[in-house]
Amino acid sequence: MRHQRIAFGVMVAFFALAPLAMYPIFLMKVMCFALFACAFNLLIGFGGLLSFGHAMFLGIAGYGSAHAAKVWGLTPEIAILTGTAAATALGLITGLIAIRRQGIYFAMITLALAQMVYFFSLQANFTGGEDGIQAVPRGMLFGVLDLKDVWAMYATVLATFIAGFLLIYRAIHSPFGQVLKAIRENEPRALSLGYDINRYKLLAYVLSAGLAGLAGATKSIVFQLASLTDVHWTMSGEVVLMCLVGGLGTVFGPVVGALVIVAMANYLAQLGAWVTVVQGVIFVVCVLTFRRGIVGELGHFLKKPL
Amino acid sequence: MTEIFGVPTQALFGQLLIGLINGSFYALLSLGLAVIFGLLNIINFTHGAQYMLGAFCAYFLLNKAGLGYWWSLAIAPLVVGAVGVLIERTMLKRLYRLDHLYGLLLTFGLALILQGLFQFGFGASGLPYPIPAELSGGRNLGFMFLPNYRAWVIVASLAVCLATWFVIEKTKLGSYLRAATENPQLVQAFGINVPRMIMLTYGFGVGLAALAGVMAAPIYQVSPRMGADLIIVVFAVVVIGGMGSILGSIVTGFGLGIVEGLTKVFYPEASNTVIFIIMAIVLMIKPAGLFGSQK
């Protein structure tokens, strides 16, 4: 486990020092997506469940926290918790439906459920339809710390990201995480050992939904915007891509993947439709020749799981 | 004007017709998905993009080569099917020994590439495609006005679906196909070229998507995004029907199209989501789908 601690130290040092060289807004975006990707990875990497609808949690939490901060005038920490709670509740409802099937069906079901949430977001009143919720106030954290200051905001996002990451890390290495792995490897055997596999799957799904929600809720406070982009299926595809590039089932892969994909989207933004093509090409190349991903390959090279 | 349940019959039958049209496309597309899934164990995410390719193929044939609708109906499925065969040979073939999820991810990536390329070339707006002269106009049935082209789409897609069902369930070729679905090694041992059969099956499934695309071109406009959202609905249709039976996917496709049309009449707010809601209910009651059997 020592090398994982070192890797963790490197990661924290990177995000603590990087704002000296890079735009803090860009890094905050990376951290929000990194947390989102880590939450997604918990489900596919350790539970073996490929969700193609994780954008619904990111999006609904974004709307929840934006609504709480703007309309109800709550402080940012309560707004973020509201958004996270909304995503967790949605995770519980959709989870009960989705875990009834496995494999490819699970992917199709989550995709369809997310599309339903997308249409709901498009039509509901509080989401603002095509406009989204704009000009969300960042507010005063705990009533004292003004988040309009970019460094206060940065520290908040960093703390949220690290807390979420550690929670996932803890979950993976707990007995709960081991049972999840057992279910992924051999479901009938886990069942015959007396584990209530549906309950474990549901718990993993809800945990993943809640953490994806935490990422979405924080994101809407940082960018002061909750929009349909975050609920659309392209976002669900993007998070799959982040994990694939970084390394499915690795601990640090999603973070690296998020950094790569967000950076790429930033540099290619002026190319418009080409971003979609480039993402598609990365998908195809990764699946055909680079299935371990960046961190997976690195771990393979060092002969240590990262 | 006559009314049923407080709804003018004109509106009711009009939406029923739209429902049947949508259902024709759901049935054709979910049939292709089911055939491909049966043999390749891959959910073809590119299906929507291949449907779009079919429509664009018809558009090019008309505007660049001067070949009309009826030529397109024959040529587009062959061309797009050939592209499908190429994809199978060069990429999908390498994934059969891996987790099925990689097939989903690969075809998702391909869909992004195709959609992005066409969006770059043609923008997001639709291109018009005329209804063939032989099928323009319509007839008055007394209770509603039925455009000839729409009647043709329903009849043609029903015919194609039933022909596919007949080939798979009732012919020698179909029996090989079903046997290879059950146990490819054993079928190969009997001297049947299974890899070639897999390749042609993929080409056929893709060709069905392209055929649907050509038929859709005069109804919806030809646009790069036409398949993107449709494919998600078709996935829900497939989950509801279960992929076990060919007839099942045909019935589910048409049935859900009608349900969607009726929802537009009675509760329009839910018309986008009704299929997903039905999917959730079916999963709660019968997880394997209406016609499926859970292994």
Side-chain angles (χ1 to χ4, degrees):
Chain A
M1 291 296 125
R2 202 167 64 89
H3 50 275
Q4 291 202 343
R5 289 217 184 97
I6 295 171
F8 180 73
V10 171
M11 183 183 80
V12 174
F14 170 79
F15 282 115
L17 297 177
L20 299 175
M22 294 184 229
Y23 291 113
I25 288 282
F26 165 76
L27 286 165
M28 286 194 269
K29 191 172 180 186
V30 170
M31 283 190 281
C32 288
F33 278 109
L35 181 57
F36 181 37
C38 286
F40 170 82
N41 187 47
L42 173 69
L43 205 53
I44 171 76
F46 301 93
L49 295 167
L50 173 67
S51 157
F52 234 100
H54 249 52
M56 64 179 151
F57 307 122
L58 186 80
I60 220 71
Y63 282 126
S65 100
H67 187 78
K70 190 177 181 185
V71 181
W72 296 339
L74 298 174
T75 52
E77 73 281 358
I78 304 290
I80 290 175
L81 283 180
T82 311
T84 311
T88 313
L90 182 66
L92 186 64
I93 300 168
T94 55
L96 281 171
I97 298 166
I99 58 161
R100 289 172 163 260
R101 299 302 300 269
Q102 297 135 20
I104 290 169
Y105 280 98
F106 181 85
M108 288 196 288
I109 292 163
T110 45
L111 178 62
L113 289 170
Q115 188 76 350
M116 190 158 92
V117 172
Y118 173 79
F119 282 120
F120 169 77
S121 308
L122 187 63
Q123 290 170 344
N125 286 324
F126 79 98
T127 57
E130 301 271 2
D131 298 332
I133 306 179
Q134 298 177 1
V136 178
R138 281 187 180 173
M140 309 283 276
L141 189 70
F142 301 115
V144 287
L145 193 58
D146 192 350
L147 291 184
K148 278 200 286 294
D149 176 45
V150 69
W151 298 115
M153 190 71 243
Y154 192 85
T156 311
V157 176
L158 182 60
T160 312
F161 166 63
I162 298 292
F165 185 88
L166 285 175
L167 180 64
I168 292 171
Y169 187 81
R170 191 65 220 116
I172 293 168
H173 292 88
S174 68
F176 165 72
Q178 301 302 317
V179 176
L180 268 189
K181 272 188 215 165
I183 294 173
R184 181 192 64 187
E185 296 301 327
N186 193 335
E187 194 168 314
R189 182 173 291 179
L191 186 66
S192 72
L193 286 171
Y195 291 111
D196 186 348
I197 54 170
N198 276 344
R199 186 186 286 181
Y200 277 93
K201 277 188 190 170
L202 183 62
L203 193 55
Y205 187 88
V206 173
L207 188 62
S208 174
L211 285 163
L214 180 62
T218 313
K219 183 169 172 283
S220 75
I221 296 290
V222 174
F223 293 95
Q224 305 183 284
L225 171 74
S227 73
L228 282 173
T229 321
D230 288 354
V231 207
H232 198 245
W233 57 263
T234 45
M235 183 60 77
S236 300
E238 239 166 80
V239 72
V240 181
L241 187 59
M242 287 174 191
C243 288
L244 191 64
V245 168
L248 284 172
T250 60
V251 178
F252 295 94
V255 181
V256 176
L259 182 64
V260 171
I261 299 298
V262 173
M264 192 194 81
N266 258 24
Y267 287 114
L268 297 182
Q270 66 270 38
L271 294 179
W274 283 111
V275 178
T276 320
V277 179
V278 172
Q279 285 183 344
V281 171
I282 298 177
F283 254 110
V284 170
V285 170
C286 278
V287 169
L288 288 178
T289 62
F290 195 63
R291 280 184 290 273
R292 287 200 194 99
I294 297 171
V295 173
E297 285 292 347
L298 188 67
H300 185 70
F301 176 71
L302 296 172
K303 298 196 173 54
K304 290 186 169 71
L306 283 174
Chain B
M1 185 181 283
T2 45
E3 293 189 353
I4 298 175
F5 304 126
V7 176
T9 44
Q10 286 273 296
L12 183 67
F13 286 113
Q15 290 299 340
L16 260 182
L17 180 66
I18 292 176
L20 269 177
I21 294 278
N22 286 336
S24 310
F25 294 119
Y26 295 160
L28 272 179
L29 291 173
S30 64
L31 184 63
L33 277 181
V35 170
I36 292 172
F37 180 77
L39 203 55
L40 283 79
N41 266 321
I42 278 177
I43 276 294
N44 185 30
F45 220 124
T46 325
H47 222 65
Q50 280 149 345
Y51 160 84
M52 178 267 288
L53 277 186
F56 266 100
C57 202
Y59 178 81
F60 289 138
L61 284 172
L62 183 70
N63 291 297
K64 306 278 183 222
L67 293 174
Y69 178 81
W70 303 103
W71 282 104
S72 299
L73 220 45
I75 297 173
L78 287 177
V79 172
V80 181
V83 174
V85 165
L86 200 68
I87 290 171
E88 198 278 336
R89 282 289 94 176
T90 53
M91 299 182 212
L92 285 175
K93 199 178 68 160
R94 300 151 177 254
L95 301 178
Y96 295 142
R97 278 171 289 115
L98 301 169
D99 194 321
H100 304 329
L101 294 176
Y102 284 111
L104 181 75
L105 296 181
L106 180 85
T107 49
F108 179 72
L110 288 172
L112 288 184
I113 295 175
L114 288 172
Q115 201 182 306
L117 285 177
F118 275 82
Q119 210 159 329
F120 187 75
F122 301 93
S125 58
L127 305 164
Y129 187 92
I131 290 176
E134 296 85 345
L135 292 173
S136 59
R139 61 196 70 220
N140 198 339
L141 300 181
F143 54 90
M144 67 177 292
F145 181 77
L146 177 66
N148 286 339
Y149 185 75
R150 304 205 163 202
W152 150 255
V153 166
I154 296 170
V155 172
S157 89
L158 201 57
V160 171
C161 285
L162 290 175
T164 308
W165 169 79
F166 182 81
V167 169
I168 292 178
E169 297 289 337
K170 303 287 172 199
T171 65
K172 189 105 180 175
L173 181 70
S175 70
Y176 290 156
L177 201 72
R178 279 177 291 135
T181 306
E182 291 293 323
N183 192 336
Q185 282 85 9
L186 203 61
V187 175
Q188 183 125 29
F190 282 121
I192 289 160
N193 189 343
V194 173
R196 192 174 67 193
M197 203 152 91
I198 291 178
M199 176 184 90
L200 292 177
T201 303
Y202 187 75
F204 174 74
V206 170
L208 274 184
L211 183 73
V214 178
M215 295 209 290
I219 298 182
Y220 315 112
Q221 286 182 320
V222 179
S223 89
R225 299 195 57 86
M226 65 192 288
D229 289 334
L230 182 64
I231 192 67
I232 303 179
V233 180
V234 173
F235 279 174
V237 171
V238 163
V239 172
I240 294 169
M243 279 190 287
S245 101
I246 301 285
L247 271 185
S249 38
I250 301 171
V251 172
T252 321
F254 277 98
L256 287 172
I258 293 171
V259 169
E260 198 183 36
L262 288 179
T263 316
K264 276 202 190 101
V265 181
F266 293 107
Y267 190 64
E269 290 84 357
S271 61
N272 284 327
T273 43
V274 64
I275 290 187
F276 303 122
I277 294 169
I278 294 175
M279 180 194 78
I281 296 170
V282 168
L283 280 169
M284 297 307 277
I285 299 165
K286 202 165 178 296
L290 295 178
F291 299 91
S293 55
Q294 202 153 20
K295 56 172 187 333

